[in-house]
């Protein structure tokens, strides 16, 4: 315990004395837990730094008095929260690393504790905070930097997702019951086929339509024939129809033209007989109005429900959603700001002013209320001009890759994970968990998605577009039907200032590029929809490029050409290729000296990797291959990468073996072979992975045994092996896994491990529910 807190002057009144006591106890506890457990260490270190920044305040009598110049009840409430914070810190060591839900919840508690400390002492803390901490604090307060980064890469669903199911409802819905009944009455009129719900962003259009789709009367009329499609700005009629066919599980050849697509969908709907059908088109832009007409078929019982910020008067029936009235607005705001607590001494007139400022927008009411929950009155007054919320999806790992390199954060992604959790706790974004058994060793957000509401996205785009194009640090370009922006065609020789460049093209783009002088770009994001795509040659001049993300949002993988242009980028650190068809030119990225992370997601690989006989990548730390369904083998050349710490080969159902040289990856700490359903066994050389800490073979259905020498993995701490249906026994050497802490498995496998519990004194066997239907689907799919 640092001695300086112990030497503080004797407090002249009870509140100061009590505050001194709880602060001393909290710092003691934080220091102890930081040494005791590796879990949450980043967050605990952050709280420790905050406490040490607060420490000098207790030496200056006037500084402390300024902090305590507030209502006595507010100080007492803060003391109570700090005392409770000590309990939160003590619970850190009890949270299991495999329990992602508890971990998220507890991490948010720690972030809340740190923010509460900063907020209470903020008037005297500004000079003590480091410049980077102040910048981060401003980032959290305003949210605009996040908005701009997310806006650069966020694209609405309408790409390669198969599902057209209706999304779930938010937990709290206020003030929409009347609108639901009116909208339902309008939709169910016999003469009405198309209804548009129109309102500005953030008014609750999407929530209202979801309510209608979940309404019992509507479900009684349309049954399972309610199909929900989110329409992006660049979505075509063919893309929507292909997505619907995928949802119907209809086998159909590739649709060549829009007209063919419309004819096939109309014929399919007619074959459904007398069944009523409801098609929901969410977030239709004005330039996509023709999509509604294209999907209008003269079929009895077939209706279309549209949400848009625009009025489509040609379709007749429009329901203009109004803002919340004062009473409903205040109810919604208070439910978010106070939950089940009282108003924590927030004056009612201040609440009313905040509600009035939100102007009845459910979005603003929810987000601003949540951001003020648990905050003091000073914070409320200082936040009287802020607003926010959520909706669009981007993989968290892609966002983290950009942040790590753009802001010189840690390679492991711990700080970026922490920032995502912080922003999530403030409702500036949502984190969507895709696996319920994610592990801390893999990073907080490695298998999660980030969502953000279109209102925040638009705000971010607006903020990033204030400067002249040549001076913008974040440059977002959208190209429709080969129509290159005029400023680009007429660009003079002066270089662009952009550090982040995002180029989005539609399905008709033919890869006809003009030169672009952008030497300062560090992050390049290419969002594409066409079946074929050529990387622009001007990329070769981007000598500062650190992160390259290429994602296809089309129905089929995009055939990628000119990948060899990347080979000249000597500073490139991270590459993410998603939903692409890769050729033998992938060899050009396997020689990049500075590359630290390579992610290949949902790509058609074929023989591209197998043909690569020269894999150097001397600085590669992480290799990630996921959902590459035609990948049949991992070339042994990849086992020469001596510095790789994380290897992830997941959902690759054609792989039946791993290279026997796998044990040569001497630096490997994390090995994830999740859902490789044909994989029969792990290579015996795995015993040489002396640094391996984490092993995931969950849902590898065909594995029947573990290597006999697996006990030689004397650094192994966690094994995840749920869903290993073929495993019948464990090798005797598992008794030598002396550092093993957690085994996450299904009930049947837990019986095998129970025989070794007495010998492995630190072992915790954590049973997870085995999803037999999911296992069956994996078996029949391969």
């Amino acid at each position: 315990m640092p001695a300086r807190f112990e030497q503080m002057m004797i407090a002249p009144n009870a509140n100061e004395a009590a505050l001194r006591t709880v602060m001393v106890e909290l710092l003691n506890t934080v220091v102890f837990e930081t040494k005791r457990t590796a879990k949450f260490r980043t967050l605990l270190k952050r709280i420790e730094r905050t406490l040490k920044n607060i420490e000098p305040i207790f030496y200056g009598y006037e500084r402390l008095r300024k902090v305590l110049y507030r209502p006595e009840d507010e100080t007492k409430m803060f003391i109570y929260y700090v005392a409770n914070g000590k309990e939160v810190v003590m619970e850190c060591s009890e949270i299991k690393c495999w329990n992602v839900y508890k971990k998220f919840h507890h991490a948010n508690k720690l972030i809340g504790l740190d923010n509460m400390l900063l907020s209470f002492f903020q008037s005297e803390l500004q000079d003590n905070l480091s410049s980077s901490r102040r910048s981060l604090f401003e980032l959290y307060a305003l949210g605009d930097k996040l908005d701009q980064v997310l806006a650069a890469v966020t694209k609405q669903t309408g790409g390669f997702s198969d599902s057209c199911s209706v999304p779930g409802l938010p937990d709290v819905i206020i003030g929409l019951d009347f609108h639901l009944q009116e909208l339902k009455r309008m939709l169910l009129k016999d003469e009405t086929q198309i209804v548009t719900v129109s309102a500005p962003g953030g008014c609750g259009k999407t929530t209202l339509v979801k309510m209608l789709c979940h309404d019992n009367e509507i479900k009684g009329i349309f049954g399972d024939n309610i199909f929900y499609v989110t329409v992006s700005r660049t979505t075509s009629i063919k893309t929507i129809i292909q997505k619907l066919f995928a949802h119907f599980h209809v086998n159909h050849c590739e649709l060549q033209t829009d007209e063919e697509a419309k004819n096939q969908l109309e014929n399919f709907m007619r074959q459904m007989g007398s069944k009523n059908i409801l098609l929901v088109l969410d977030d239709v832009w004005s330039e996509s109005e023709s999509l509604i007409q294209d999907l209008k078929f003269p079929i009895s019982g077939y209706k279309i429900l549209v949400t848009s910020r625009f009025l489509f008067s040609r379709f007749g029936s429009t329901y203009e959603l109004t803002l919340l009235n004062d009473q409903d607005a205040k109810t919604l705001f208070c439910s978010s700001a106070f939950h089940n607590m009282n108003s924590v001494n927030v004056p009612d007139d201040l609440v009313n002013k905040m509600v009035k400022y939100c102007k009845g927008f459910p979005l603003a009411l929810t987000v601003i209320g949540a951001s003020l929950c648990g905050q003091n009155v000073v914070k409320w007054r200082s936040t009287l001009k802020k607003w926010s919320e959520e909706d669009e999806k981007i993989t968290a790992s892609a966002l983290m890759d950009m942040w790590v390199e753009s802001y010189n954060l840690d390679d492991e992604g711990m700080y970026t994970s922490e920032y995502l959790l912080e922003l999530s706790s403030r409702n500036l974004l949502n984190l969507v968990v895709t696996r319920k058994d994610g592990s801390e060793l893999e990073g907080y957000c490695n298998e999660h998605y980030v969502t953000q509401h279109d209102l925040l996205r638009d705000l971010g785009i607006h903020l990033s577009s204030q400067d002249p194009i040549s001076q913008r640090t974040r440059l977002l370009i959208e190209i429709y039907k080969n129509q290159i922006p005029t400023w680009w065609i007429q660009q003079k020789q002066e270089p662009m200032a952009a550090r982040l460049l995002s180029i989005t093209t539609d399905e008709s783009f033919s890869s006809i590029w003009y030169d672009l002088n952008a030497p300062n770009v560090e992050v390049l994001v290419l969002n594409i929809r066409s079946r074929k795509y050529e990387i622009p040659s001007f990329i070769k001049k981007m000598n500062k490029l650190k992160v390259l993300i290429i994602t296809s949002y089309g129905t089929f993988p995009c055939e990628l050409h000119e990948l060899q242009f990347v080979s000249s980028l000597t500073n490139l650190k991270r590459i993410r290729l998603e939903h692409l068809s890769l050729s033998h030119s992938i060899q050009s990225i396997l020689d990049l000296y500075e590359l630290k992370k390579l992610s290949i997601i949902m790509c058609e690989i074929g023989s591209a990797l197998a043909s690569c006989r020269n894999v150097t990548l001397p600085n590669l730390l992480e290799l990630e291959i996921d959902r590459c369904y035609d990948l049949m083998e991992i070339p042994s050349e990849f086992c020469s990468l001596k510095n790789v710490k994380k290897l992830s080969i997941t959902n690759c159902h054609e792989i039946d073996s791993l290279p026997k040289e796998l044990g040569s990856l001497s630096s490997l700490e994390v090995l994830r072979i999740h859902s490789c359903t044909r994989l029969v066994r792990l290579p015996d050389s795995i015993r040489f992975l002396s640094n391996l800490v984490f092993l995931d073979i969950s849902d590898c259905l065909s594995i029947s045994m573990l290597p006999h020498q697996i006990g030689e993995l004397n650094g192994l701490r966690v094994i995840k092996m749920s869903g290993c249906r073929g495993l019948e026994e464990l090798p005797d050497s598992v008794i030598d896994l002396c550092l093993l802490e957690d085994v996450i498995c299904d009930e049947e496998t837990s019986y095998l491990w129970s025989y070794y519990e007495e010998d492995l004194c630190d072992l915790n066997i954590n049973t997870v529910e085995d999803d037999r239907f999911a296992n069956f689907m994996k078996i029949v799919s391969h």
Side-chain angles (χ1 to χ4, degrees):
M1 163 64 200
R4 295 180 65 191
F5 254 137
E6 297 285 6
Q7 298 169 356
M8 290 177 191
M9 55 176 288
I10 301 298
N13 62 52
N15 279 345
E16 291 180 23
L19 180 59
R20 169 184 175 274
T21 299
V22 294
M23 294 292 282
V24 168
E25 291 179 351
L26 179 59
L27 182 56
N28 270 328
T29 305
V30 169
V31 171
F32 176 76
E33 287 294 328
T34 303
K35 295 177 179 178
R36 179 184 178 190
T37 179
K39 303 185 187 80
F40 306 103
R41 183 166 289 169
T42 301
L43 294 173
L44 291 172
K45 283 287 187 182
R46 174 175 161 181
I47 295 173
E48 184 179 348
R49 289 195 301 272
T50 298
L51 289 169
K52 288 182 177 178
N53 282 326
I54 291 172
E55 185 180 354
I57 296 174
F58 284 83
Y59 284 92
Y61 182 74
E62 290 301 321
R63 294 184 68 189
L64 183 58
R65 278 299 175 91
K66 287 181 181 178
V67 170
L68 296 180
Y69 186 70
R70 62 184 76 214
E72 183 178 8
D73 288 346
E74 189 175 323
T75 301
K76 288 182 178 179
M77 183 65 70
F78 175 76
I79 293 171
Y80 168 79
Y81 285 143
V82 173
N84 185 65
K86 173 186 171 183
E87 303 301 319
V88 172
V89 172
M90 291 175 64
E91 292 172 1
C92 285
S93 58
E94 301 175 9
I95 305 296
K96 299 298 181 182
C97 63
W98 54 269
N99 195 324
V100 68
Y101 289 106
K102 284 189 177 180
K103 186 174 60 183
F104 262 51
H105 183 64
H106 202 73
N108 279 321
K109 285 184 178 181
L110 293 173
I111 291 170
L113 173 61
D114 185 63
N115 289 340
M116 181 187 65
L117 294 168
L118 287 170
S119 177
F120 191 82
F121 290 96
Q122 64 181 343
S123 62
E124 295 297 317
L125 267 184
Q126 294 302 315
D127 294 335
N128 289 26
L129 293 177
S130 66
S131 59
S132 61
R133 194 71 184 278
R134 284 198 299 270
S135 297
L136 181 61
F137 201 64
E138 292 170 2
L139 169 67
Y140 295 154
L142 298 176
D144 56 356
K145 286 188 179 181
L146 170 69
D147 301 336
Q148 294 175 43
V149 174
L150 281 173
V153 293
T154 299
K155 292 294 151 191
Q156 292 178 324
T157 57
F160 40 79
S161 171
D162 287 346
S163 177
C164 294
S165 301
V166 180
L169 292 169
D171 293 333
V172 178
I173 301 176
I174 293 173
L176 292 181
D177 290 340
F178 169 78
H179 296 292
L180 173 62
Q181 297 304 319
E182 289 296 297
L183 178 60
K184 186 164 57 172
R185 181 183 58 80
M186 181 180 290
L187 179 69
L188 296 180
K189 289 181 178 179
D190 292 338
E191 66 274 16
T192 300
Q193 183 177 19
I194 300 175
V195 174
T196 301
V197 179
S198 180
C203 285
K205 302 183 298 294
T206 298
T207 299
L208 176 60
V209 168
K210 290 178 184 177
M211 287 178 66
L212 182 134
C213 292
H214 285 281
D215 180 82
N216 288 332
E217 183 181 357
I218 294 295
K219 288 193 291 186
I221 295 172
F222 295 97
D224 294 329
N225 296 324
I226 302 176
F227 309 114
Y228 194 104
V229 179
T230 302
V231 182
S232 75
R233 198 170 186 173
T234 59
T235 297
S236 70
I237 180 66
K238 191 164 62 174
T239 299
I240 292 176
I241 293 175
Q242 285 171 331
K243 187 174 182 181
L244 286 166
F245 277 137
H247 179 82
F248 297 142
H249 302 291
V250 173
N251 294 322
H252 63 93
C253 58
E254 182 181 352
L255 302 171
Q256 299 298 323
T257 66
D258 290 350
E259 196 62 32
E260 179 187 358
K262 289 189 291 184
N263 291 338
Q264 289 201 25
L265 180 61
E266 182 176 359
N267 290 336
F268 178 83
M269 287 186 170
R270 290 188 183 281
Q271 292 171 11
M272 296 175 71
S274 59
K275 295 180 179 178
N276 294 318
I277 301 171
L278 176 61
L279 174 62
V280 178
L281 301 176
D282 188 24
D283 197 21
V284 177
W285 288 68
S286 59
E287 55 262 48
S288 300
E289 181 178 359
S290 61
L291 294 176
I292 305 172
Q293 181 63 42
D294 289 338
L295 290 166
K296 180 181 177 182
F297 306 126
I299 299 175
S300 177
Y302 169 52
K303 293 180 181 290
I304 301 175
L305 181 58
V306 178
T307 73
S308 179
R309 305 176 205 181
F310 308 93
L311 290 172
F312 300 133
S313 56
R314 61 186 281 200
F315 297 115
S317 299
T318 299
Y319 186 83
E320 295 188 38
L321 179 61
T322 58
L323 299 174
L324 296 180
N325 60 41
D326 291 344
Q327 181 179 347
D328 287 336
K330 186 172 183 178
T331 301
L332 179 59
F333 179 85
C334 291
S335 71
S336 184
F338 303 123
H339 296 302
N340 296 321
M341 303 181 297
N342 57 32
S343 62
V344 195
N345 298 312
V346 178
D348 194 61
D349 67 324
L350 184 55
V351 173
N352 291 334
K353 287 179 181 178
M354 195 68 71
V355 171
K356 183 178 179 180
Y357 179 81
C358 294
K359 302 184 188 305
F361 279 83
L363 167 60
L365 292 160
T366 300
V367 179
I368 294 178
S371 69
L372 293 173
C373 184
Q375 302 292 334
N376 57 45
V377 175
V378 174
K379 178 66 174 177
W380 276 68
R381 296 189 186 282
S382 67
T383 313
L384 198 54
K385 294 183 179 180
K386 301 182 181 76
W387 59 319
S388 327
E389 217 236 347
E390 58 103 348
D391 191 7
E392 296 241 338
K393 189 166 76 170
I394 171 181
T395 53
S397 57
L399 184 59
M400 291 164 63
D401 284 342
M402 289 188 286
W403 283 1
V404 164
E405 299 300 336
S406 297
Y407 301 107
N408 296 316
L409 301 175
D410 60 311
D411 289 331
E412 297 295 321
M414 183 60 71
Y415 290 123
T416 50
S417 301
E418 174 188 331
Y419 299 160
L420 284 174
L421 285 169
E422 167 72 12
L423 292 162
S424 175
S425 71
R426 290 171 176 263
N427 275 16
L428 291 171
L429 55 79
N430 269 4
L431 286 175
V432 181
V433 182
T434 58
R435 283 191 63 188
K436 295 184 179 181
D437 57 346
S439 168
E440 181 177 358
L441 290 170
E442 302 169 87
Y444 283 111
C445 308
N446 220 23
E447 295 195 11
H448 308 327
Y449 287 91
V450 175
T451 63
Q452 186 183 38
H453 195 278
D454 51 6
L455 194 59
L456 280 179
R457 184 181 69 256
D458 289 350
L459 175 62
I461 293 174
H462 172 74
L463 291 173
S464 67
S465 303
Q466 297 303 295
D467 295 325
I469 292 174
S470 62
Q471 298 176 21
R472 295 175 189 172
T473 57
R474 297 175 178 87
L475 181 57
L476 318 177
I477 303 173
E478 294 186 341
I479 300 174
Y480 305 109
K481 299 180 179 179
N482 293 303
Q483 297 175 1
I484 305 294
T486 304
W487 66 261
W488 188 347
I489 298 174
Q490 299 175 350
Q491 183 195 11
K492 299 179 181 179
Q493 293 302 313
E494 64 267 16
M496 311 292 287
R499 293 179 60 224
L500 184 149
L501 174 62
S502 170
I503 304 177
T504 298
T505 54
D506 65 5
E507 348 177 278
S508 61
F509 184 65
S510 56
S511 296
I512 299 175
W513 296 101
Y514 284 78
D515 189 34
L516 185 66
N517 187 10
N520 298 309
V521 170
E522 297 178 358
V523 176
L524 176 61
V525 180
L526 301 176
N527 296 310
I528 58 188
R529 290 187 180 276
S530 52
R531 286 300 307 272
K532 295 182 179 181
Y533 187 90
E534 293 183 7
I535 294 177
S537 60
F538 56 73
I539 193 177
K540 294 186 289 186
K541 298 184 293 184
M542 294 180 176
N543 296 323
K544 296 182 180 180
L545 190 65
K546 297 179 181 179
V547 180
L548 174 62
I549 300 175
I550 307 177
T551 304
S552 168
Y553 290 89
T555 303
F556 301 97
C558 172
E559 189 177 308
L560 188 66
H561 295 276
E562 308 301 345
L563 190 58
Q564 67 272 14
F565 290 161
V566 176
S567 61
S568 62
L569 301 174
T570 56
N571 286 313
L572 198 55
K573 303 291 195 301
R574 294 167 184 262
I575 297 177
R576 182 182 180 88
L577 306 174
E578 186 165 355
H579 206 226
L580 305 171
S581 179
L582 303 176
S583 67
H584 295 226
S585 62
I586 195 175
Q587 174 70 60
S588 59
I589 67 175
L590 300 181
D591 300 320
L592 292 170
Y593 187 84
E594 294 294 333
L595 195 66
K596 294 180 180 179
K597 181 179 179 181
L598 174 60
S599 300
I600 303 175
I601 313 296
M602 278 185 67
C603 289
E604 284 185 355
I605 295 179
S607 60
L609 281 183
S611 64
C612 297
R613 297 306 176 193
N614 182 27
V615 182
T616 51
L617 301 175
N619 290 299
L620 193 72
L621 300 177
E622 183 172 355
L623 175 61
E624 179 183 23
I625 302 176
D626 181 40
R627 288 169 287 169
C628 295
Y629 300 122
D630 66 339
L631 179 63
M632 302 187 70
E633 63 174 331
I634 304 295
S636 59
E637 283 76 14
F638 281 87
C639 297
S640 64
L641 303 175
K642 302 297 184 182
N643 292 318
V644 169
K645 293 185 177 181
K646 295 182 180 180
L647 175 60
S648 176
I649 305 170
T650 56
N651 298 290
C652 296
H653 300 304
E654 294 300 317
I655 290 181
D656 57 11
S657 64
L658 297 175
K660 62 181 181 181
E661 300 87 354
L662 188 68
S664 300
L665 297 172
S666 55
S667 299
L668 198 64
E669 297 175 0
V670 175
L671 177 59
R672 301 177 61 243
I673 316 292
H674 171 70
S675 289
C676 292
T677 53
R678 286 191 177 180
L679 183 65
V680 176
R681 61 175 299 163
L682 299 175
D684 291 335
S685 64
I686 193 176
R687 69 182 189 273
F688 298 123
L689 301 177
S690 58
N691 290 306
L692 193 67
V693 177
F694 177 89
L695 174 63
D696 181 3
I697 57 171
S698 54
D699 294 323
C700 289
L701 307 179
S702 301
I703 287 183
S704 58
M705 65 177 68
L706 298 180
H708 292 298
Q709 302 90 350
I710 195 172
E712 296 181 26
L713 296 174
N714 49 29
L716 194 62
R717 287 174 46 200
V718 179
I719 299 179
K720 295 174 68 174
M721 53 189 308
S722 60
C724 292
R725 307 295 298 170
L727 192 65
E728 296 181 354
E729 61 180 355
L730 299 176
D732 293 336
S733 66
V734 297
I735 200 172
D736 297 322
L737 297 172
C738 55
L739 294 183
L740 190 62
E741 296 179 359
D742 289 295
V743 172
I744 299 97
C745 60
D746 50 63
E747 185 175 3
E748 293 180 14
T749 307
S750 69
Y751 298 141
L752 302 179
W753 282 100
S754 63
Y755 294 109
Y756 301 95
E757 279 188 288
E758 293 184 3
D759 299 295
L760 300 173
C761 54
D762 294 327
L763 177 63
N764 293 303
I765 302 174
N766 306 287
T767 303
V768 296
E769 184 177 352
D770 189 14
D771 191 337
R772 296 178 180 270
F773 176 75
N775 287 340
F776 171 74
M777 292 305 295
K778 288 171 183 173
I779 292 172
V780 298
S781 66
H782 81 278

